[in-house]
Amino acid sequence: MTTQQHAIGSGFGARSTTSDVLTGIDLSGKLALVTGGYSGLGLETTRALAGAGAHVVVPARRRSTAVEALGGIEGVEVAEMDLADLDGVRAFAEEFLASGRDIDILINNAGIMAAPETRVGPGWEAQFAINHLGHYALVNRLWPAIAGGGGARVVSVSSNGHQLSDIHWDDPHFTRHPYDKWQAYGQAKTANALFALRLDALGRNTGVRAFSVHPGTIATQLGRHMSPEELAELSETIEASPTNVGWKAPEEGAATQVWAATSPRLAGMGGVYCEDCDIAEPASEGTELGSGVSAWATDPERAARLWALSAELTGVDAFAE
């Protein structure tokens, strides 16, 4: 059954925190995996899930940094993995599968934003490669563990930045057109939403449901590639939006992904884009960096097309016949 892209009256909102959305929820015996779970919103997410009783696995590009950041949080293990290196993603997944454990929650949290033109792997544009293709490969590689327990949830952290761009179908890696870091970021965030939409359609018969989320505007290291002038300009754009809810604290920003991963209200639902701890409404046409979700990020045909492209690029598809 398709979930409608409309708010369900969750009882939470823009100022809800991870503690709020986890009230009364016991994750004891559950295993969660959080990419980038050692800084910014990822750290808050790891802390919240572990605090509710989950065992949290954090694959990290900077393993020693992750170990230091997560020190003192019980129930967390760190492994080495770089989303830009698909061989490394495969190695991590193989090692995890060999442990025989199932995954109850997987949050695709890691990402980069507005990066200068960077090429990874076989010349792929880094934002699309890291934010989307790396996570696509990871989920497909880990699919036996995700589907094994029944009832798992996969959450992809998108952004209202998806409103900046549809997928550049004719040139996703900006090899034939001038590189634009915001178009590249917007494309990657649209890809995150479309990935969740397609994964939910493919995986729901096994009990796995998928969601994408916009966490809100939070001051984290995500903006490390931006100059002070660019950050100021972005702040002005966001604050000028009629739907702006203001800057969020990290525990507020992480709340939507934690809510999507754990809320009983979402039982039997999936494939939708969420914000402010609820399912988002469709965005008004022409909206940029405001609330709601653009039509191109909720289109099943685009989602299927992106899945096929991702499978071709990465050579991985857990659902291939």
Short mmCIF file of all heavy atoms in Angstrom, two decimals, residues 24-47:
data_model
loop_
_atom_site.label_atom_id
_atom_site.label_comp_id
_atom_site.label_asym_id
_atom_site.label_seq_id
_atom_site.Cartn_x
_atom_site.Cartn_y
_atom_site.Cartn_z
N GLY A 24 9.46 6.55 25.76
CA GLY A 24 8.68 5.32 25.82
C GLY A 24 9.11 4.25 24.84
O GLY A 24 8.49 3.18 24.77
N ILE A 25 10.17 4.50 24.06
CA ILE A 25 10.64 3.52 23.08
C ILE A 25 11.88 2.82 23.60
O ILE A 25 12.87 3.46 23.96
CB ILE A 25 10.93 4.21 21.73
CG1 ILE A 25 9.63 4.72 21.12
CG2 ILE A 25 11.63 3.24 20.78
CD1 ILE A 25 9.81 5.46 19.82
N ASP A 26 11.83 1.49 23.66
CA ASP A 26 12.95 0.68 24.14
C ASP A 26 13.57 -0.04 22.95
O ASP A 26 12.91 -0.87 22.30
CB ASP A 26 12.43 -0.33 25.17
CG ASP A 26 13.55 -1.19 25.78
OD1 ASP A 26 14.73 -0.95 25.45
OD2 ASP A 26 13.23 -2.11 26.55
N LEU A 27 14.82 0.25 22.66
CA LEU A 27 15.51 -0.37 21.54
C LEU A 27 16.46 -1.48 21.97
O LEU A 27 17.33 -1.90 21.20
CB LEU A 27 16.29 0.70 20.75
CG LEU A 27 15.44 1.82 20.12
CD1 LEU A 27 16.35 2.82 19.40
CD2 LEU A 27 14.40 1.25 19.16
N SER A 28 16.30 -1.97 23.17
CA SER A 28 17.15 -3.06 23.65
C SER A 28 17.05 -4.25 22.72
O SER A 28 15.95 -4.65 22.30
CB SER A 28 16.72 -3.48 25.06
OG SER A 28 16.85 -2.39 25.97
N GLY A 29 18.21 -4.82 22.38
CA GLY A 29 18.24 -5.96 21.48
C GLY A 29 18.22 -5.60 20.01
O GLY A 29 18.33 -6.48 19.15
N LYS A 30 18.10 -4.31 19.69
CA LYS A 30 18.10 -3.86 18.31
C LYS A 30 19.51 -3.46 17.88
O LYS A 30 20.30 -2.97 18.69
CB LYS A 30 17.18 -2.64 18.13
CG LYS A 30 15.74 -2.88 18.54
CD LYS A 30 15.03 -3.83 17.61
CE LYS A 30 13.54 -3.93 17.95
NZ LYS A 30 12.84 -4.90 17.06
N LEU A 31 19.81 -3.67 16.61
CA LEU A 31 21.09 -3.23 16.07
C LEU A 31 20.84 -2.14 15.04
O LEU A 31 20.05 -2.30 14.11
CB LEU A 31 21.85 -4.39 15.43
CG LEU A 31 23.28 -4.07 14.98
CD1 LEU A 31 24.20 -5.26 15.18
CD2 LEU A 31 23.35 -3.60 13.53
N ALA A 32 21.53 -1.02 15.22
CA ALA A 32 21.42 0.11 14.30
C ALA A 32 22.79 0.37 13.67
O ALA A 32 23.82 0.16 14.31
CB ALA A 32 20.95 1.36 15.03
N LEU A 33 22.78 0.80 12.44
CA LEU A 33 24.01 1.20 11.75
C LEU A 33 23.82 2.64 11.28
O LEU A 33 22.82 2.95 10.62
CB LEU A 33 24.28 0.26 10.58
CG LEU A 33 25.63 0.41 9.86
CD1 LEU A 33 26.06 -0.93 9.26
CD2 LEU A 33 25.56 1.46 8.75
N VAL A 34 24.75 3.51 11.63
CA VAL A 34 24.65 4.93 11.30
C VAL A 34 25.93 5.36 10.59
O VAL A 34 27.00 5.42 11.21
CB VAL A 34 24.44 5.79 12.56
CG1 VAL A 34 24.26 7.26 12.17
CG2 VAL A 34 23.23 5.31 13.36
N THR A 35 25.85 5.67 9.30
CA THR A 35 27.04 6.18 8.62
C THR A 35 27.29 7.62 9.07
O THR A 35 26.36 8.38 9.31
CB THR A 35 26.88 6.13 7.08
OG1 THR A 35 25.86 7.04 6.67
CG2 THR A 35 26.55 4.73 6.61
N GLY A 36 28.56 7.97 9.21
CA GLY A 36 28.89 9.30 9.71
C GLY A 36 28.38 9.53 11.11
O GLY A 36 28.12 10.66 11.52
N GLY A 37 28.26 8.44 11.86
CA GLY A 37 27.65 8.53 13.19
C GLY A 37 28.56 9.02 14.28
O GLY A 37 28.33 8.72 15.46
N TYR A 38 29.58 9.80 13.92
CA TYR A 38 30.53 10.26 14.93
C TYR A 38 30.74 11.77 14.90
O TYR A 38 31.61 12.29 15.60
CB TYR A 38 31.87 9.53 14.77
CG TYR A 38 32.53 9.70 13.41
CD1 TYR A 38 33.58 10.60 13.23
CD2 TYR A 38 32.13 8.94 12.32
CE1 TYR A 38 34.20 10.73 11.99
CE2 TYR A 38 32.75 9.07 11.09
CZ TYR A 38 33.78 9.97 10.93
OH TYR A 38 34.39 10.12 9.71
N SER A 39 29.96 12.48 14.09
CA SER A 39 30.05 13.94 14.10
C SER A 39 28.70 14.53 13.73
O SER A 39 27.88 13.87 13.09
CB SER A 39 31.12 14.44 13.12
OG SER A 39 30.76 14.14 11.79
N GLY A 40 28.49 15.78 14.14
CA GLY A 40 27.27 16.49 13.78
C GLY A 40 26.01 15.73 14.14
O GLY A 40 25.87 15.17 15.23
N LEU A 41 25.07 15.68 13.19
CA LEU A 41 23.80 14.99 13.44
C LEU A 41 24.00 13.50 13.63
O LEU A 41 23.23 12.85 14.35
CB LEU A 41 22.84 15.23 12.27
CG LEU A 41 22.44 16.68 12.01
CD1 LEU A 41 21.39 16.74 10.91
CD2 LEU A 41 21.92 17.34 13.28
N GLY A 42 25.02 12.94 12.99
CA GLY A 42 25.28 11.53 13.15
C GLY A 42 25.64 11.18 14.58
O GLY A 42 25.18 10.16 15.12
N LEU A 43 26.45 12.01 15.22
CA LEU A 43 26.82 11.78 16.61
C LEU A 43 25.60 11.85 17.51
O LEU A 43 25.42 11.02 18.41
CB LEU A 43 27.88 12.80 17.04
CG LEU A 43 28.33 12.75 18.50
CD1 LEU A 43 28.88 11.38 18.87
CD2 LEU A 43 29.38 13.84 18.77
N GLU A 44 24.75 12.85 17.29
CA GLU A 44 23.53 12.97 18.09
C GLU A 44 22.63 11.76 17.88
O GLU A 44 21.98 11.26 18.81
CB GLU A 44 22.77 14.25 17.71
CG GLU A 44 23.47 15.53 18.12
CD GLU A 44 23.61 15.67 19.63
OE1 GLU A 44 22.76 15.14 20.38
OE2 GLU A 44 24.59 16.31 20.07
N THR A 45 22.57 11.27 16.65
CA THR A 45 21.75 10.10 16.34
C THR A 45 22.29 8.86 17.03
O THR A 45 21.54 8.08 17.64
CB THR A 45 21.72 9.88 14.81
OG1 THR A 45 21.10 11.02 14.20
CG2 THR A 45 20.93 8.63 14.44
N THR A 46 23.60 8.65 16.96
CA THR A 46 24.22 7.52 17.63
C THR A 46 23.97 7.57 19.13
O THR A 46 23.59 6.57 19.76
CB THR A 46 25.73 7.49 17.36
OG1 THR A 46 25.94 7.33 15.95
CG2 THR A 46 26.41 6.36 18.11
N ARG A 47 24.17 8.74 19.71
CA ARG A 47 23.98 8.90 21.15
C ARG A 47 22.54 8.58 21.55
O ARG A 47 22.29 7.89 22.55
CB ARG A 47 24.35 10.33 21.56
CG ARG A 47 24.23 10.58 23.06
CD ARG A 47 24.58 12.01 23.40
NE ARG A 47 26.01 12.28 23.24
CZ ARG A 47 26.52 13.15 22.38
NH1 ARG A 47 25.71 13.85 21.58
NH2 ARG A 47 27.82 13.34 22.31
#
